[in-house]
Amino acid sequence: MNHQDIVRAVERLKAGGLVAFPTETVYGLGADARSEAAVARVFAAKGRPSNNPLIVHVPGLLMAEQLGVLDDRARALTRAFWPGPLSIVVPRAAGSGLAGGVTGGVRGGGATVALRSPDHPVALALLFSFGGPLVGPSANKSGGVSPTLAAHVREAFDEREVLTLDGGACAAGIESTVVWLGEAGGRARVLRPGVIGAAALGAVLGEEVDGPGLPGGAGVGVGVGGVLLSPGLLASHYAPRARCVVVEDLAGVDDLVGMEELAGAGGLVVVLSHSLVAEDELARLDLEGVELIEMPHEAWAYAGALYARLREADARGPLAIVVHRPPSAGETAEETAVWQAIMDRLARASAAR
Ligand code: TXA
Ligand code: MG
């Protein structure tokens, strides 16, 4: 990665092409947010449903204000968290500023736009050099596991189709928090949890912010026997190829492997566990065809490793990936937010397809 790579990437973007770039969360699939054709290319490359809007990446508040209507609350959030892993959904600006603002395709046809300034030197260099807003959905095929390494992007897209800027591993590892500031006078709501939690947003706004999760604030439910309850309520996303199941404790692996389907096939089951005693516990169960991938014990490190470990598990070609449910709360509100964002991704990875 050097200056010449940025110059080539900007040329590609100006020609309406696609450039994958690193951010602090995951790699994004960049294209000119003002170009209908470039944005259409992103949807086609990802196989993404056209009603799912894209996040627009900006270098900072100045460009954000040309694309969206930011009130005092929105500005306070940008001051506190930008550049950083927070996408703010605001009403779109009416046609002013940058050549008519972002295209309708970016917004999924809606009246709002999600804006974010990424905290990564390569992403910011690209944005400043390009001088315009870039869409940046995660650089994976729709529904798949998000990329945290340039190699992950290159597995999904041909280099002729997508020019990839290699900025090493993404630190945060899971996608940005998406917050919607609500109707006028209404409450802000987290639409997608990330490492910045509702409590942290609320502390800046001086008001309660609704968390994500199911209506009524029930959050993600884990049911009887530790197997995820009603996964059909959740759209499948962030999903590996192999079937993925979340269990409350490792004894649950016994039941799953005992299930006819897995036992008869004589295949492999990969277990992802954060437990320090996972190896001993699995040894005690004495099961055939079970391999352990150890996950970090600490929340931020777990988030950073999650997608790469899921891909590693998938690459072994297992019949199932069993994830030992991580803690639902930490010692601080910040840590709890990270565990909840992780559980959101695990719930989607294990949702029915
Ligand atoms: O961390 C991230 O946000 C990464 C990196 C590359 O920046 N990008 C990312 O983009 O995750 P994507 O497209 O994979 O996810 C965008 C999410 C989707 O859940 C989408 O529905 C939501 O943001 N979104 C985008 N625009 C929206 C809008 N106007 N209103 C509500 N939700 C919106
Ligand atoms: Mg995505």
Side-chain angles (χ1 to χ4, degrees), residues 145 239-247 256 262 268-272 291 293 309-324 346 349-350 353:
V145 178
R241 284 187 307 264
R243 182 171 149 237
C244 183
V245 185
V246 179
V247 295
L256 285 164
L262 296 181
L268 176 70
V269 170
V270 178
V271 176
L272 267 59
E291 279 179 22
I293 293 182
R309 293 292 96 78
L310 277 176
R311 284 168 181 269
E312 195 187 304
D314 218 14
R316 298 187 191 181
L319 289 169
I321 298 171
V322 177
V323 184
H324 185 188
L346 289 175
S350 58
R353 279 171 248 178

Side-chain angles (χ1 to χ4, degrees), residues 26 46 48 52 137-140 142-144 146 175 192 237-238:
V26 300
K46 279 185 64 79
R48 181 167 173 127
N52 191 1
S138 50
N140 52 276
S142 187
S146 297
E175 301 79 358
R192 179 177 70 182
H237 214 104
Y238 315 108

Side-chain angles (χ1 to χ4, degrees), residues 5-284:
D5 294 317
I6 299 283
V7 171
R8 275 201 309 139
V10 167
E11 279 166 14
R12 183 76 77 101
L13 292 169
K14 289 199 165 143
L18 309 183
V19 173
F21 59 95
T23 79
E24 79 281 34
T25 60
V26 300
Y27 275 75
L29 187 56
D32 186 345
R34 300 159 300 183
S35 160
E36 203 77 62
V39 170
R41 226 163 265 138
V42 170
F43 278 97
K46 279 185 64 79
R48 181 167 173 127
S50 62
N51 60 357
N52 191 1
L54 305 177
I55 292 172
V56 177
H57 295 66
V58 293
L61 184 58
L62 197 64
M63 193 181 290
E65 302 236 48
Q66 294 185 275
L67 305 170
V69 182
L70 281 78
D71 60 9
D72 289 346
R73 292 156 80 222
R75 280 198 209 98
L77 292 180
T78 68
R79 267 198 304 277
F81 297 109
W82 280 9
L86 180 68
S87 299
I88 307 176
V89 176
V90 296
R92 73 185 172 104
S96 63
L98 300 156
V102 302
T103 71
V106 171
R107 294 178 277 105
T112 58
V113 59
L115 298 168
R116 141 162 157 86
S117 183
D119 187 14
H120 193 289
V122 175
L124 288 171
L126 185 66
L127 283 161
F128 279 112
S129 305
F130 179 61
L134 294 173
V135 294
S138 50
N140 52 276
K141 301 284 181 180
S142 187
V145 178
S146 297
T148 53
L149 288 173
H152 298 159
V153 181
R154 292 183 177 129
E155 277 166 28
F157 302 102
D158 193 88
E159 195 71 6
R160 276 165 309 193
E161 185 185 20
V162 176
L163 175 68
T164 303
L165 295 174
D166 190 344
C170 303
I174 54 177
E175 301 79 358
S176 63
T177 302
V178 179
V179 64
W180 178 51
L181 288 171
E183 307 291 355
R187 266 155 81 134
R189 167 170 216 107
V190 172
L191 301 179
R192 179 177 70 182
V195 300
I196 298 173
L201 297 170
V204 169
L205 295 176
E207 62 187 51
E208 290 264 331
V209 173
D210 288 328
L214 307 175
V220 172
V222 170
V224 206
V227 177
L228 197 68
L229 194 69
S230 308
L233 287 176
L234 302 156
S236 168
H237 214 104
Y238 315 108
R241 284 187 307 264
R243 182 171 149 237
C244 183
V245 185
V246 179
V247 295
E248 192 71 46
D249 70 68
L250 287 178
V253 175
D254 203 2
D255 304 337
L256 285 164
V257 175
M259 288 187 326
E260 227 174 316
E261 177 194 342
L262 296 181
L268 176 70
V269 170
V270 178
V271 176
L272 267 59
S273 176
H274 61 285
S275 164
L276 295 173
V277 294
E279 205 172 346
D280 294 345
E281 281 192 57
L282 287 176
R284 205 167 322 121

